[in-house]
Amino acid sequence: MTHRPVPSEYNSYYEGYVSSAGDDPIAQLEQQIVAFEKARGLDESAASTPPAPGEWTLKEVLVHLCDFERMFSYRALRFSRGDATPVEAFEQDTYVATSGANRRPLSEIVDELVSLRRATILLARSLSEEMLDRAGLAGGHPVTVRALIFITPGHSEGHLADLRRDHRELR
């Protein structure tokens, strides 16, 4: 990618994510796989216990990352292919609450997330500058494909920082 997205390419809600993305978001997407893989070593009970009341468990965070990866890659695919049909926002708390994450084996969740991330990387590598410049409406706001590619690793960075804080094995 030749440049970072400018603020007019995405909703201001995503500014923190774009700011947390490196100048090479594809390299950052790849590096984050290492962090995801570290979660395999955690105890199932620890991964299913929230760090504090009302907070998500490690499994729930990882499933949320899966959901986010799917949603934002789908948006990038649609818009990059010239399909500007608006897509709705998704309610992350409802998705997490109904995901059944804590009943699933941690290794299965990590496998899913790593597979999704590898697919996101392949999609991102396939995009031309013209495709990156294309945009659509997501959650009622315009967003370019380029911005979506930057938002994805930036979003993961915040969750990984929280997971490292709560689980020393991930540091």
Side-chain angles (χ1 to χ4, degrees), residues 11-24:
N11 182 343
S12 61
Y13 174 84
Y14 295 111
E15 176 55 40
Y17 299 152
V18 172
S19 296
S20 295
D23 288 333
D24 184 347

Side-chain angles (χ1 to χ4, degrees), residues 10-139:
Y10 54 89
N11 182 343
S12 61
Y13 174 84
Y14 295 111
E15 176 55 40
Y17 299 152
V18 172
S19 296
S20 295
D23 288 333
D24 184 347
I26 296 173
Q28 189 174 12
L29 290 167
E30 291 170 337
Q31 292 163 357
Q32 289 172 342
I33 290 174
V34 176
F36 301 155
E37 289 284 0
K38 284 184 178 180
R40 283 187 198 283
L42 270 72
D43 173 74
E44 287 287 332
S45 177
S48 302
T49 303
E55 291 187 15
W56 292 346
T57 67
L58 179 131
K59 287 182 179 184
E60 289 171 330
V61 170
L62 295 180
V63 167
H64 165 67
L65 290 175
C66 289
D67 293 344
F68 189 96
E69 198 88 12
R70 279 189 173 94
M71 294 291 188
F72 280 67
S73 290
Y74 174 70
R75 292 171 182 185
L77 172 67
R78 283 186 60 168
F79 301 156
S80 74
R81 301 301 195 255
D83 181 353
T85 305
V87 294
E88 295 300 318
F90 77 103
E91 178 47 56
Q92 65 183 17
D93 292 323
T94 301
Y95 273 60
V96 169
T98 60
S99 71
N102 293 318
R103 293 189 308 269
R104 295 179 57 195
L106 180 58
S107 62
E108 182 180 290
I109 296 169
V110 173
D111 286 344
E112 180 181 358
L113 180 54
V114 169
S115 294
L116 288 166
R117 175 53 60 92
R118 291 188 196 289
T120 298
I121 291 166
L122 291 170
L123 173 63
R125 285 185 184 148
S126 76
L127 301 172
S128 68
E129 287 297 316
E130 179 184 351
M131 292 172 178
L132 291 166
D133 289 338
R134 292 181 184 145
L137 286 176

